[in-house]
Amino acid sequence: MKGKFLTLEGIDGAGKSTALRFVSDCLDRHGIRHTVTREPGGTRLGEALRDIMLHDAATAVCAEAETLLMFAARAQHLNEVIRPALARGEWVVCDRFTDATYAYQGGGRGVAAARIAALESWTQGGLRPHLTLLMDMEPAAAGRRIKAADLFERESSQFMRRVRHVYRERQQAAPARFHLVDGAQELPAVRARVEQVIGGFIGQVREAA
């Protein structure tokens, strides 16, 4: 079976980290070798840039620089982690990818989608996620879950509403790739939905093999 690229997206506090564990557990039960990673991060360079962008309040990073840093981290991540794992036949499960750049830097910061698309094409070529779980939740409810751990999580509710709006737009534009998960549900319901989506995808891949 060829490697597949799965991503998890959503606003801060919507339950991505928990859902990621559910995805990994499901892949383990199906005997699928996989690599779990995150953005920004996943490499030494990516983690260093993550620390600057998400935790260093003393460094004022403008929207354009933030976008370029995201893609710099992504280029290294693709070269060092994602593409090699896929080439080995492993599946890759990534906590956020380029959809997050459209949502946060585009919707949140106001960077033009066309500029993000140009960087996406240059950095990734034709590589796109095969499946994306979008953890969806009202920003006010998600905010109550958050212990303001990083700069994005301390953004205003208005900022998060813009981010969520772009995520939903992207989900509606690509319903075959995006699968919506209601992050406000109780954990058993979230797990059931995640396993339904991932299990169904695995079945499709095996049938096509």
Side-chain angles (χ1 to χ4, degrees):
M1 193 186 329
K2 293 183 179 179
K4 298 296 178 183
F5 185 26
L6 315 182
T7 59
L8 288 89
E9 299 284 356
I11 65 171
D12 298 300
K16 284 187 301 79
S17 298
T18 300
L20 186 142
R21 292 197 301 272
F22 295 158
V23 172
S24 183
D25 288 347
C26 188
L27 294 176
D28 278 337
R29 286 198 303 274
H30 284 273
I32 295 175
R33 290 185 303 128
H34 60 283
T35 294
V36 175
T37 188
R38 69 177 183 175
E39 288 209 349
T43 67
R44 184 175 179 181
L45 174 64
E47 293 296 333
L49 293 177
R50 180 188 184 91
D51 192 56
I52 292 172
M53 290 185 285
L54 273 63
H55 303 295
D56 188 358
T59 302
V61 181
C62 70
E64 292 79 7
E66 188 176 86
T67 304
L68 292 168
L69 287 172
M70 287 291 184
F71 276 103
R74 186 163 295 133
Q76 187 67 23
H77 196 199
L78 285 161
N79 183 71
E80 191 174 326
V81 177
I82 296 173
R83 291 189 189 278
L86 293 173
R88 293 192 300 267
E90 294 181 20
W91 290 32
V92 176
V93 183
C94 191
D95 183 346
R96 292 209 172 111
F97 195 61
T98 307
D99 291 305
T101 307
Y102 281 100
Y104 279 82
Q105 283 69 50
R109 305 284 192 226
V111 175
R115 292 188 175 183
I116 297 173
L119 290 168
E120 178 182 32
S121 179
W122 179 41
T123 304
Q124 298 168 217
L127 180 64
R128 299 293 185 276
H130 295 100
L131 180 147
T132 298
L133 286 175
L134 176 57
M135 305 301 297
D136 187 54
M137 195 172 182
E138 286 288 343
R144 288 192 288 271
R145 291 180 172 179
I146 293 171
K147 298 176 181 177
D150 61 48
L151 299 183
F152 285 152
E153 291 178 347
R154 292 198 293 271
E155 293 289 356
S156 68
S157 59
Q158 186 178 20
F159 175 93
M160 285 300 173
R161 284 195 294 271
R162 295 196 302 270
V163 170
R164 185 193 186 206
H165 178 72
V166 172
Y167 269 135
R168 291 302 299 267
E169 283 187 331
R170 293 184 66 75
Q171 179 262 328
Q172 291 163 12
R177 173 167 71 90
F178 277 91
H179 296 265
L180 204 64
V181 180
D182 183 357
Q185 298 178 106
E186 296 295 327
L187 280 182
V190 172
R191 182 169 200 134
R193 172 60 176 159
V194 169
E195 292 182 347
Q196 175 193 40
V197 172
I198 300 303
F201 182 69
I202 292 169
Q204 292 172 9
V205 171
R206 285 178 168 163
E207 284 179 10

